[in-house]
Amino acid sequence: MIGRLTSGRGAVLVLLGAGVIGLTGLTAGCGTQTAPVSTTPSLRAATAPLSTSLVTPQGTWAVAVMGGSAASENNFWQVFVRPAGASRWSLVTPEGVADNGGLVATGGAGGASLLVGFRPSQGLVFSPLAATSDTGKNWTPGLLDADLADVPDAMAVAPSGRTLALLSDGSIQAAATAGAAAAGQWSPLATLSGLAASAPGRECGLVAVNAVSFGISNVPMAAGSCQRRGVAGVFADTGGAWQAAGPVLAGGFGGDQVQVLGLTRTADGNAALLLAGSDLLAAWSDGGRWTVSAPVAAAGGVRASGFGPGGSVWVLLGGDRAETIGGPGGSWQGLAALPKGTATLAPGTGGYDALAVAGSELTVWRLSGAGWAKAQAINVPVQYGSSS
Amino acid sequence: MPGMNSGLSPDDPTLVAAFRSALLHQSAIALLIVAFLWLLWATMRTWRLVTPAAKAEADGVDGETAATADLAEAGGVDGGVRAKGEGAREARGRAVLRVGFGFIWILDGILQAQPKMAGGLAAQVIEPSASASPGWVQHLVNWGGTIWSYHPITAGAASVWIQIGIGVWLLVARNGPWSRLAGLASVAWGLVVWVFGESFGGIFAPGLSWLTGAPGGVLIYVVAGALIALPENAWRSPRLGRLLLGGIGLFFIGMAVLQAWPGRGYWKGVIHGQPGTLAGMVQSMASTPQPHFLSALLADFGSFAASNGFAVNLVVVLALAAMGAVFLAGFVTGRPRLVRYAVWFGVVFCLAVWVLVQDLGFLGGLGTDPNSMIPFVLLFSAGYLALTPAAREAPAVVTASAGAEGAAGAEQGRGGRERLRLPAPKTVRTAVATASLRSVGAVAALGIILLGAAPMAAAATNRTADPILALAIEGDSSAMDIPAYGFQLTDQSGHPVSLASLRGKVVLMTFLDPVCTSDCPIIGAEFKEAGVLLGPADKDVELVAIVANPIYRSAEFTQAFDREEGLAAVPNWLFLTGSVSELTQVWKHYGVAVLDLPAGSMVDHSDVAMIIDRTGHIREVVGADPGPGTASTQSSYSVLLTQYTHQVLSDP
């Protein structure tokens, strides 16, 4: 047999050589990293980061992450409050749960309290809650036995106390009262697939739910990202059926996919922050009609956003830029170049505070005149390593 | 890759001490095996000498003559009967492979005995080697790596003895069936190491290069083992040498093509301001702990490669191509002269690569073998030697012997094939007495291999981890016998539960924060697993956790935790809570610290587990810090808790 192998050896040699060289090339090709075939969906869902601020009758609240570590379990989210009428901020982060996964805050019932949800992290898969009615001095525990979505408007509380929670899978749960929410008594209100299959959902081509709120008459509302161009996905639950409740965008945005980054209740109705293509739009509703602002370019992406009194809207953009708009009929105004490390803005009397983070140090900068003046510094006792 | 890495430091003193202790004990057993076999062999031989002599003297014949004649009849008078084929001189090529790889296997076994190997091989060798490979390779390697991470001491020690045993076997069994079996053993274990230890030699990962060890150093051991396992007739003809050289030649040409392939970073000494593929590799090797002269040499070569990347790679490509072409020519023509020059060149070139690129293969970090250059040298040298005329070697001298092949008889069948036949019981005694010293050595080597293989096989079927991992994290338990504080709390369903109500059962108890993100979910899972491992004894055990959070302590949270960890369906699981004052009392009496921390931190509390006996006395207190919380450490901790619980259950 060996003899036969060595006969006709030239041809065998050529064949074997070609086979080896081919196999080598194949191996080199397999081993060489190639660019993956693109499987990007047609709409890349965008959401607003958790850093934000909100105003309630008790005061102005800010949510920002501190720690500055590359390891997520060494970054801890904090809640700060500047009580109404006061000029100084205090650290009031609720205790008892590690908040490495993020915090979601919303005004409480009647605006007299704040409700905070802890996003799950590491081995914790559900979301404890904490509510305060005395500007964060004391907190009452609550429970959402599910994981809150990673968006700043993942919770909403109606004046009646009815509470909505948006989960990470896009479904929405509701608790009848604040007490029920605290006791963990939640029931399903909607699912992403159900909402997407509804008439307005199909009209929009809904791919994600990004915010929940309440509208006029305490109607539950949801908003998200639409695949179909020119359609803003805002929906209201009217007696168990979801209806389209979003703004109609001007012709110039007819070719853009629209994503709702934020939705909140105002005194007169709702305010929303929209991303149409690469432009940001603010919109306000009085329960029936929407007013849409002029666009502002979302250059560098949205680093933080929030709503203020009177339906005002602010956004932090890349390159230390910030844009604000006062309300319906207003126009976007750029703020002075932000202090380094600004994590969030907070509306104040006559202007804004910029809360800048460097590790465990928070610096409050106050806008005065044409520039920012340092107003306060808070050393936050970040417990590095406590979540490891 | 879940399961692969125990997460413990390779330096962990508990693991290191346990590994050393295991090796020490097994060394004693290995010596006993060798001593026993030698003693048995010597005894049987003496009996064989004495019995004919005594019988002869009884018959009036000279005893010594009779004994010598008897041994001669059995086939040898020189201290051992030669096994069939042992009288033949071994083919030189085969001898080079057998002796060379014999020593290499022994070296690898010794390297495997490094103190950090038990705790570090999975994390520092197997995992990095698999990380660049496709998912299916990682999945397969993970299966094997899991055995190591679950049983690090057993697996580590097994690797030592299996490799030393194979090496000794190759060295002592010069030819015949025992020698061929040694080759097969080399193939079998080599394949295991190639797949699970080297992730198929990295052939499915990007960046494959002969310089760095492609196709995996241990695969060459497999090839060598297969060649050694061939019938010895195959080595009598130059055709084997030609085939071997032809195969090596094709492989080298393939590697030359691969090395020359553009876009893989080998042609450039510097890429985007950073050292190129080869230069970067050499420079990183230079920074590993090793003798200074060697690191300086590597650093210099790394700088040279960075400055002259094209030239260095060109030399490599040409060298591989030239050697490959000459070896192929050897296959085609069968003439050894040209091949000889290529062999000498190859030896020098491979040694240079071994030092300058592979850093001797085992220096710095957890080296397990000398990499691929030495094995390649042995392989093509053997091919060249097998190419040279077989007439130089003496023809086989077959010594007739009824049962001379140790415990297994062998006979030369037609066509040169050796068949194994089972010996009759009467010949086993004769076989032992008349076996050669080499055969006894081979049996001893096999015994050493089994010393490692048997525990490893048992470990592979054991799906729970050894408790040594848990002991490494938290140390041993504290045994005691003190009355446990009689708490009165409420379970997750709202029912009152007191310690007194649990009398008659053994209580396995811990303290958990229901909204904890790190340790408590792991400890909860460990308790659940311990309940499963207890088996039927579970009915006499209550698994109890007491809330360790003054804020998030209501039954809603304990129920949510139970659902999160799958504990809601465990019938003997109790998650107890109470008012802050009640809980504070319990924490105080059990010595559990619970501290509310600010700024977004979770509540800090002691991780501890206690075993309370049927009369309400604390019998064991175990640290419950889950450490890295990997699958292996979790399993280990569950096993440890189960063992302690069984101990307390068995106490009267």
Side-chain angles (χ1 to χ4, degrees):
Chain A
M1 187 183 78
I2 295 176
R4 282 198 293 275
L5 276 176
T6 54
S7 66
R9 48 184 179 244
V12 170
L13 193 62
V14 169
L15 282 172
L16 283 175
V20 165
I21 290 169
L23 194 62
T24 304
L26 191 65
T27 307
C30 290
T32 304
Q33 288 178 340
T34 55
V37 174
S38 172
T39 57
T40 308
S42 56
L43 173 65
R44 192 169 182 171
T47 57
L50 288 178
S51 298
T52 189
S53 65
L54 60 155
V55 180
T56 69
Q58 283 187 316
T60 304
W61 309 79
V63 176
V65 65
M66 301 187 71
S69 169
S72 63
E73 61 265 25
N74 264 334
N75 288 317
F76 296 84
W77 287 80
Q78 311 296 338
V79 178
F80 300 91
V81 68
R82 188 187 64 211
S87 62
R88 293 182 68 80
W89 291 83
S90 304
L91 175 70
V92 291
T93 308
E95 293 179 355
V97 187
D99 60 15
N100 309 102
L103 293 175
V104 174
T106 187
S113 61
L114 188 80
L115 178 65
V116 171
F118 293 83
R119 291 204 63 253
S121 62
Q122 297 191 80
L124 180 68
V125 301
F126 57 88
S127 290
L129 307 174
T132 182
S133 55
D134 57 4
T135 58
K137 294 188 185 65
N138 295 285
W139 294 88
T140 304
L143 172 66
L144 171 65
D145 195 4
D147 53 332
L148 269 174
D150 189 13
V151 290
D153 292 332
M155 289 200 301
V157 181
S160 63
R162 191 179 185 199
T163 308
L164 297 179
L166 174 64
L167 306 186
S168 59
D169 63 359
S171 60
I172 302 170
Q173 295 209 354
T177 63
Q185 294 163 1
W186 297 81
S187 55
L189 182 69
T191 62
L192 173 59
S193 56
L195 203 51
S198 66
R202 290 197 309 272
E203 177 70 23
C204 136
L206 185 70
V207 296
V209 178
N210 304 329
V212 291
S213 184
F214 285 94
I216 292 288
S217 307
N218 297 329
V219 169
M221 297 184 71
S225 299
C226 291
Q227 190 134 304
R228 284 189 67 178
R229 298 174 190 278
V231 180
V234 181
F235 313 94
D237 178 16
T238 53
W242 290 91
Q243 307 290 337
V248 175
L249 299 183
F253 298 101
D256 292 322
Q257 288 169 323
V258 183
Q259 306 192 65
V260 180
L261 301 183
L263 181 70
T264 192
R265 182 192 172 98
T266 64
D268 304 320
N270 292 100
L273 178 65
L274 313 176
L275 180 67
S278 59
D279 289 323
L280 289 168
L281 304 166
W284 301 269
S285 161
D286 59 7
R289 205 166 62 92
W290 285 87
T291 304
V292 183
S293 74
V296 66
V302 176
R303 292 196 295 115
S305 62
F307 299 94
S312 60
V313 184
W314 60 267
V315 287
L316 280 194
L317 301 171
D320 294 329
R321 277 178 56 221
E323 296 278 348
T324 67
I325 187 167
S331 57
W332 290 99
Q333 305 289 330
L335 296 182
L338 295 170
K340 185 181 174 188
T342 297
T344 185
L345 293 181
T349 48
Y352 280 88
D353 285 352
L355 278 66
V357 171
S360 59
E361 187 83 11
L362 179 90
T363 304
V364 179
W365 299 85
R366 191 151 289 153
L367 191 60
S368 67
W372 298 91
K374 184 175 176 181
Q376 187 184 358
I378 300 176
N379 187 24
V380 175
V382 173
Q383 304 292 308
Y384 294 106
S386 60
S387 291
S388 302
Chain B
M1 285 175 275
M4 166 84 72
N5 186 354
S6 71
L8 296 179
S9 165
D11 292 319
D12 185 276
T14 304
L15 289 181
V16 169
F19 187 47
R20 279 194 179 130
S21 174
L23 286 177
L24 204 62
H25 287 113
Q26 288 170 356
S27 300
I29 297 173
L31 286 172
L32 278 174
I33 290 173
V34 172
F36 170 76
L37 285 172
W38 177 84
L39 201 62
L40 178 68
W41 175 71
T43 303
M44 297 305 287
R45 284 182 58 78
T46 305
W47 171 83
R48 182 111 182 151
L49 279 170
V50 167
T51 305
K55 180 170 182 263
E57 284 180 13
D59 293 339
V61 177
D62 175 49
E64 188 175 333
T65 306
T68 305
D70 181 70
L71 268 180
E73 183 189 337
V77 295
D78 58 353
V81 172
R82 289 179 188 161
K84 285 202 189 316
E86 275 191 14
R89 185 176 299 172
E90 183 184 18
R92 292 182 304 158
R94 188 181 189 279
V96 163
L97 287 181
R98 183 182 59 78
V99 173
F101 281 94
F103 280 114
I104 289 181
W105 272 122
I106 291 174
L107 172 65
D108 291 358
I110 292 171
L111 286 172
Q112 206 67 34
Q114 294 172 77
K116 295 183 189 178
M117 196 59 75
L121 186 82
Q124 295 191 0
V125 177
I126 299 179
E127 198 169 49
S129 134
S131 61
S133 296
W136 68 270
V137 172
Q138 294 187 28
H139 187 75
L140 182 63
V141 170
N142 186 50
W143 179 81
T146 301
I147 297 172
W148 192 288
S149 64
Y150 273 47
H151 312 281
I153 308 302
T154 304
S159 298
V160 173
W161 299 117
I162 290 172
Q163 290 176 171
I164 289 178
I166 291 174
V168 169
W169 195 354
L170 284 170
L171 288 176
V172 300
R174 194 167 53 190
N175 43 23
W178 275 112
S179 182
R180 293 176 61 195
L181 278 173
L184 285 177
S186 185
V187 169
W189 183 246
L191 283 174
V192 169
V193 175
W194 185 63
V195 171
F196 296 106
E198 293 189 349
S199 301
F200 297 92
I203 62 175
F204 298 108
L208 188 71
S209 168
W210 178 79
L211 292 175
T212 55
V218 80
L219 187 63
I220 310 166
Y221 300 27
V222 172
V223 172
L227 290 169
I228 293 168
L230 288 174
E232 289 171 37
N233 285 341
W235 288 92
R236 306 292 172 205
S237 157
R239 285 173 188 155
L240 179 62
R242 289 169 71 177
L243 267 179
L244 182 55
L245 287 174
I248 296 171
L250 282 174
F251 175 77
F252 277 175
I253 289 174
M255 289 293 106
V257 171
L258 191 64
Q259 196 67 29
W261 205 273
R264 301 181 74 237
Y266 284 100
W267 286 108
K268 293 186 178 176
V270 173
I271 302 175
H272 303 309
Q274 298 296 320
T277 307
L278 178 61
M281 204 179 304
V282 173
Q283 286 173 6
S284 70
M285 295 289 264
S287 62
T288 58
Q290 60 194 300
H292 176 72
F293 76 93
L294 205 51
S295 62
L297 186 63
L298 258 67
D300 288 344
F301 179 67
S303 301
F304 179 80
S307 307
N308 304 278
F310 186 88
V312 169
N313 200 49
L314 185 63
V315 167
V316 173
V317 170
L318 290 176
L320 283 171
M323 285 194 295
V326 172
F327 288 150
L328 266 180
F331 162 71
V332 171
T333 64
R335 289 181 187 163
R337 176 179 287 182
L338 195 59
V339 173
R340 184 188 317 148
Y341 296 130
V343 166
W344 281 114
F345 173 80
V347 168
V348 172
F349 184 67
C350 286
L351 286 177
V353 170
W354 186 51
V355 173
L356 296 175
V357 179
Q358 295 187 351
D359 197 12
L360 306 190
F362 55 86
L363 289 180
L366 275 178
T368 57
D369 58 82
N371 214 322
S372 60
M373 290 300 128
I374 303 299
F376 267 121
V377 165
L378 291 172
L379 197 65
F380 58 64
S381 300
Y384 164 71
L385 290 170
L387 190 63
T388 51
R392 284 191 189 175
E393 290 155 359
V397 173
V398 177
T399 306
S401 170
E405 276 305 311
E411 60 184 26
Q412 202 74 14
R414 268 191 289 245
R417 293 186 190 138
E418 296 170 355
R419 296 198 301 266
L420 294 176
R421 64 174 170 83
L422 292 174
K426 191 177 179 181
T427 63
V428 171
R429 209 164 45 198
T430 308
V432 172
T434 56
S436 68
L437 195 57
R438 286 181 177 275
S439 294
V440 175
V443 173
L446 183 59
I448 292 172
I449 291 173
L450 288 174
L451 180 63
M456 179 87 138
T461 59
N462 183 358
R463 303 312 298 169
T464 57
D466 294 338
I468 187 71
L469 298 174
L471 291 172
I473 295 169
E474 278 282 52
D476 209 343
S477 69
S478 302
M480 55 188 66
D481 189 356
I482 57 173
Y485 174 70
F487 53 76
Q488 298 230 5
L489 297 170
T490 309
D491 72 9
Q492 62 271 33
S493 304
H495 303 128
V497 174
S498 66
L499 182 62
S501 68
L502 302 175
R503 284 285 168 87
K505 289 197 174 186
V506 169
V507 175
L508 183 52
M509 190 171 80
T510 187
F511 295 79
L512 299 180
D513 174 3
V515 294
C516 168
T517 60
S518 55
D519 293 359
C520 302
I522 298 173
I523 298 172
E526 289 167 353
F527 265 59
K528 181 183 170 192
E529 179 64 16
V532 171
L533 292 175
L534 282 168
D538 193 38
K539 63 179 179 1
D540 296 319
V541 176
E542 208 68 34
L543 306 172
V544 174
I546 295 178
V547 164
N549 187 317
I551 304 171
Y552 291 85
R553 53 180 170 78
S554 67
E556 288 80 24
F557 297 104
T558 58
Q559 289 169 12
F561 179 90
D562 288 351
R563 283 190 291 271
E564 173 186 88
E565 299 307 321
L567 287 160
V570 176
N572 58 338
W573 167 259
L574 294 171
F575 201 165
L576 306 179
T577 187
S579 65
V580 174
S581 59
E582 288 170 337
L583 288 172
T584 306
Q585 284 297 306
V586 175
W587 300 334
K588 175 184 157 192
H589 281 92
Y590 282 98
V592 174
V594 177
L595 192 60
D596 206 2
L597 294 178
S601 172
M602 73 176 94
V603 168
D604 187 25
H605 63 89
S606 314
D607 288 337
V608 67
M610 302 175 184
I611 296 101
I612 302 173
D613 68 17
R614 302 173 201 262
T615 64
H617 283 222
I618 301 175
R619 302 298 298 276
E620 301 278 354
V621 176
V622 189
D625 185 343
T630 58
S632 52
T633 57
Q634 285 186 46
S635 174
S636 175
Y637 197 76
S638 300
V639 168
L640 192 65
L641 286 178
T642 309
Q643 287 181 353
Y644 289 139
T645 306
H646 273 302
Q647 283 174 19
V648 175
L649 276 169
S650 61
D651 282 349

